[in-house]
Amino acid sequence: MNILITGAHGQLGKELVKQLCPSHSVIGLGKKELDVTNKNRVDHIISHYKPQIIIHAAAFTAVDQCEIEQKKAMEVNALGTQYIAQAANKIQARMFYISSDYVFDGKKNQPYTEEDVPNPQSIYGLSKWMGEQLTRLCHQTTIIRTSWLYGHGGNNFVKTMLNLSKKGKEIRVVNDQLGSPTYVNDLTEMILTLMHKKNGIYHISNSGSCTWHEFAEVIFEETGVNRDLVLPISTVEYKALAPRPKFSVLSHQALLREEIALPRPWKEALKEFIRKEICQ
């Protein structure tokens, strides 16, 4: 199968290329090779390669920076998605769009289903929600919402905590936001599975949930560092620029309907990630 991946130099893009290459013809394009905000370039590249599947992983994901660079956030996450969707539709390709738990407002107290109506509270969340709407310009679209993503090929919360744990100093981590960590390797495996399933909206995250503080505690514990060095603080105390959903745990109803085995528990996935990071 001929597959084109945007954002191929990001942590998800790198893992997609790695897992797909053995059995498929893969075109992995980073920002330098494909600026998704350049409509003419998008049209040219996609019409040239004529992929059967496009996995649109390119995004502006710096949540706080999106509040500052609002125009860029909308151009990359919304308008860029529109260009990809339109070009995909012209060649009748199937499009996979990677979205986020930030499309929800976080006011619910039970896992968000694929049928729940998004209500983004940040510019990042709004731009990803607009991207979801614009993917519908492609008649064959699968939307994947994921959360708290971490992998080996980029900067993320787990790597930050691993680096801080080496210093043996106290750190303060938010304890009133609840979500589900997601290991990029597991997300990639699920995307590969969905290539053989029907289009729709799917929520993919590792099973279970935690706060950022609990997440950090387990990271410290897994590396043999005293978890008491991780101190809880509130979202208000943290003073982030962009609002975050207080609750963004994702339900996996669509996966269950398709009889797909759910991703493993987040602690199990985290252990594998840390083991691989230490062995590198």
Side-chain angles (χ1 to χ4, degrees):
M1 192 177 292
N2 192 14
I3 301 170
L4 186 146
I5 299 167
T6 71
H9 297 164
Q11 59 181 356
L12 175 57
K14 287 179 180 177
E15 187 61 29
L16 282 164
V17 171
K18 179 181 176 182
Q19 290 196 32
L20 283 164
C21 271
S23 54
H24 300 282
S25 173
V26 178
I27 306 106
L29 303 176
K31 184 166 60 175
K32 290 183 179 180
E33 297 84 25
L34 179 59
D35 176 0
V36 298
T37 67
N38 185 327
K39 185 180 187 303
N40 291 336
R41 183 66 175 161
V42 169
D43 286 340
H44 173 75
I45 289 290
I46 291 178
S47 63
H48 172 73
Y49 286 110
K50 291 183 173 59
Q52 295 161 281
I53 290 177
I54 297 172
I55 304 176
H56 183 37
F60 182 25
T61 60
V63 178
D64 287 330
Q65 196 62 28
C66 283
E67 297 291 323
I68 299 169
E69 299 183 71
Q70 297 185 14
K71 183 173 181 287
K72 178 181 177 181
M74 293 300 175
E75 286 177 342
V76 175
N77 296 340
L79 199 59
T81 301
Q82 175 184 325
Y83 296 156
I84 296 290
Q86 289 173 324
N89 201 51
K90 286 179 184 177
I91 61 167
Q92 298 183 328
R94 183 180 181 185
M95 178 178 175
F96 283 76
Y97 175 65
I98 311 303
S99 191
S100 167
D101 59 325
Y102 277 53
V103 302
F104 296 114
D105 59 22
K107 296 177 182 178
K108 202 176 177 185
N109 58 9
Q110 56 185 355
Y112 281 94
T113 71
E114 290 83 355
E115 288 75 30
D116 282 326
V117 178
N119 183 29
Q121 301 296 296
S122 64
I123 295 299
Y124 170 70
L126 177 61
S127 67
K128 295 301 288 183
W129 169 232
M130 290 177 67
E132 287 191 15
Q133 299 307 296
L134 291 166
T135 60
R136 301 183 191 284
L137 294 170
C138 176
H139 296 156
Q140 299 184 69
T141 300
T142 293
I143 295 169
I144 294 171
R145 297 185 185 130
T146 189
S147 61
W148 297 21
L149 203 59
Y150 65 93
H152 300 283
N155 295 321
N156 53 65
F157 180 80
V158 181
K159 285 190 175 182
T160 298
M161 291 301 109
L162 288 174
N163 289 331
L164 290 173
S165 70
K166 297 173 185 176
K167 299 180 179 180
K169 296 180 180 179
E170 290 183 344
I171 61 167
R172 299 177 184 275
V173 183
V174 171
N175 195 35
D176 57 0
Q177 295 172 22
L178 195 73
S180 299
T182 308
Y183 184 22
V184 158
N185 293 36
D186 293 357
L187 173 59
T188 299
E189 289 178 7
M190 296 301 289
I191 293 172
L192 268 61
T193 298
L194 289 177
M195 286 182 183
H196 306 287
K197 299 294 183 177
K198 65 181 182 182
N199 285 316
I201 300 175
Y202 295 87
H203 288 176
I204 301 176
S205 60
N206 282 111
S207 299
S209 61
C210 61
T211 66
W212 288 108
H213 176 260
E214 291 168 336
F215 194 12
E217 282 188 316
V218 175
I219 294 167
F220 271 48
E221 192 172 58
E222 285 298 319
T223 53
V225 179
N226 184 0
R227 63 189 291 163
D228 292 337
L229 291 172
V230 184
L231 305 179
I233 62 169
S234 68
T235 298
V236 173
E237 290 176 286
Y238 188 72
K239 298 178 180 179
L241 186 60
R244 267 74 167 173
K246 289 179 69 69
F247 183 95
S248 64
V249 180
L250 299 175
S251 168
H252 302 128
Q253 289 185 6
L255 294 179
L256 292 171
R257 282 197 298 268
E258 290 299 308
E259 299 182 340
I260 299 172
L262 299 185
R264 58 185 160 171
W266 69 267
K267 286 185 181 180
E268 185 180 325
L270 177 63
K271 287 179 181 180
E272 180 179 314
F273 172 84
I274 292 174
R275 185 173 66 250
K276 288 182 176 179
E277 281 291 303
I278 292 173
C279 291
Q280 283 183 356

